Amino acid sequence: MKYTTIIKKIAALSLSAVLAAGALTACSGSGSGTASEGNAGEKNNATFRTVDEIKESGKVIIGVFSDKAPFGYVDENGSYQGYDVYFAERIAKDLGVQVEYVSTDPASRVEYAAVEYAATGKVDIILANFTVTEERAEKVDFALPYMKVKLGVVSPDSAVVRSIDDLKDKTLIVVKGTTAETYFEKNEPDVKLQKYDEYADAYNALLQGRGDAFSTDNTEVLAWAIVNPGYTVGIDALGNADTIAPAVQKGNTSLLNWLNDEIKSLGKENFFHADYDATLASVYGAAANPDSLVVEGGVVD
């Protein structure tokens, strides 16, 4: 089934209904992975697992989105799919282990990487379309980037938001813990924000007219608008260009160094362009240039 068909079905079900069917708890990943919210991989008296310990265990635990198509989502068969998941599968393959997925929402990504593993063994790596920021880098260690992104704003065709001025006396939907929330709170404090914990809830709010526009990564709103007639990305490049990278728990140099070497090695085979072709090309079509989004070998042009 084509990816665009899948994402249309997700949109038609307003996403939340798909997630309510169990996507957040026991969904199978593509390939060998399984989803988990529990204690899989838990290790007493350890703050993180080294590469050798991951290999010995036979699995790597990776936090991904389950509701943010086309980067991380659960399809109609209960399998994880998307740009980040494609990368996660390759990481597991090159480590020689299986992958176990943990569903994460935007506000908890830092917590999972920096705190939760020490307490419950939840994740080794976060691959949740995770934008690198100075604040986050104080709590987690970022590997080399594999994507670059700016913010975008999507709104109904009947009242397209094309500038910050157009948001005057309007309500902008954002998701908690995202760079969109940070950007508007810091740079545009007069813009009224309506905040949600989950992407599914944020998109439903826009679809139901509970807000006038929605802001998140331009890569995502461009994809969403393509499969949701009646909506336009009036602002497609807002704020600074940021990078997206894997994150590990602070101090886990063993895994961090392995990831950096992996990203460099994958760059030599143009892996992330292949990832784009497999997971994003059918969504964006001519709306995006892959070279404007993809980072190979950790080197940002």
Side-chain angles (χ1 to χ4, degrees):
M1 179 179 292
K2 291 185 177 180
Y3 176 80
T4 49
T5 302
I6 294 172
I7 194 171
K8 284 178 181 178
K9 287 191 175 183
I10 294 174
L13 292 170
S14 300
L15 289 172
S16 57
V18 176
L19 299 177
L24 294 178
T25 52
C27 301
S28 297
S30 58
S32 58
T34 57
S36 172
E37 290 287 349
N39 297 326
E42 184 172 348
K43 189 168 184 176
N44 294 330
N45 302 317
T47 56
F48 50 73
R49 298 196 302 170
T50 66
V51 171
D52 286 343
E53 289 171 327
I54 290 170
K55 289 181 177 180
E56 289 171 5
S57 75
K59 66 181 173 183
V60 60
I61 305 169
I62 300 180
V64 295
F65 282 123
S66 60
D67 69 341
K68 192 178 181 183
F71 301 99
Y73 68 100
V74 176
D75 68 16
E76 59 186 9
N77 297 316
S79 295
Y80 280 93
Q81 304 288 351
Y83 186 80
D84 291 337
V85 174
Y86 189 100
F87 182 25
E89 294 288 333
R90 180 60 182 266
I91 287 173
K93 178 182 177 181
D94 290 347
L95 281 169
V97 299
Q98 294 184 334
V99 58
E100 179 175 306
Y101 291 115
V102 171
S103 297
T104 182
D105 60 81
S108 67
R109 282 176 291 180
V110 169
E111 181 184 7
Y112 275 22
V115 179
E116 287 294 323
Y117 188 80
T120 64
K122 277 202 168 181
V123 300
D124 300 305
I125 303 167
I126 287 289
L127 278 183
N129 204 235
F130 203 15
T131 305
V132 178
T133 67
E134 291 183 3
E135 181 182 8
R136 290 170 178 173
E138 293 176 357
K139 299 179 181 179
V140 300
D141 284 337
F142 283 104
L144 292 171
Y146 61 97
M147 199 168 192
K148 49 193 173 184
V149 67
K150 287 190 174 184
L151 294 176
V153 177
V154 62
S155 51
D157 288 348
S158 58
V160 178
V161 171
R162 300 189 184 279
S163 69
I164 297 299
D165 289 341
D166 289 343
L167 287 170
K168 183 179 180 181
D169 299 325
K170 294 185 177 181
T171 298
L172 179 67
I173 298 165
V174 297
V175 177
K176 296 177 184 177
T178 62
T179 50
E181 179 191 33
T182 301
Y183 175 84
F184 280 96
E185 287 185 339
K186 180 179 180 180
N187 298 291
E188 304 293 342
D190 293 335
V191 174
K192 181 181 177 182
L193 301 181
Q194 186 177 109
K195 301 180 183 182
Y196 292 88
D197 291 322
E198 303 287 349
Y199 278 92
D201 294 335
Y203 278 121
N204 282 336
L206 182 63
L207 288 166
Q208 294 166 10
R210 287 182 274 131
D212 300 294
F214 174 49
S215 180
T216 187
D217 294 349
N218 59 358
T219 50
E220 184 188 348
V221 290
L222 284 167
W224 189 84
I226 288 171
V227 296
N228 285 273
Y231 293 86
T232 295
V233 179
I235 303 176
D236 63 2
L238 182 65
N240 296 326
D242 294 313
T243 57
I244 290 171
V248 301
Q249 193 171 346
K250 205 74 177 172
N252 192 351
T253 55
S254 171
L255 186 54
L256 181 67
N257 291 340
W258 186 92
L259 281 170
N260 285 336
D261 289 341
E262 174 79 345
I263 290 168
K264 292 176 184 177
S265 177
L266 293 176
K268 296 176 182 178
E269 62 182 73
N270 282 330
F271 170 84
F272 292 103
H273 278 79
D275 189 348
Y276 180 97
D277 289 342
T279 62
L280 304 182
S282 62
V283 178
Y284 291 126
N289 176 0
D291 291 333
S292 70
L293 303 176
V294 173
V295 175
E296 292 285 5
V299 179
V300 180
D301 297 331

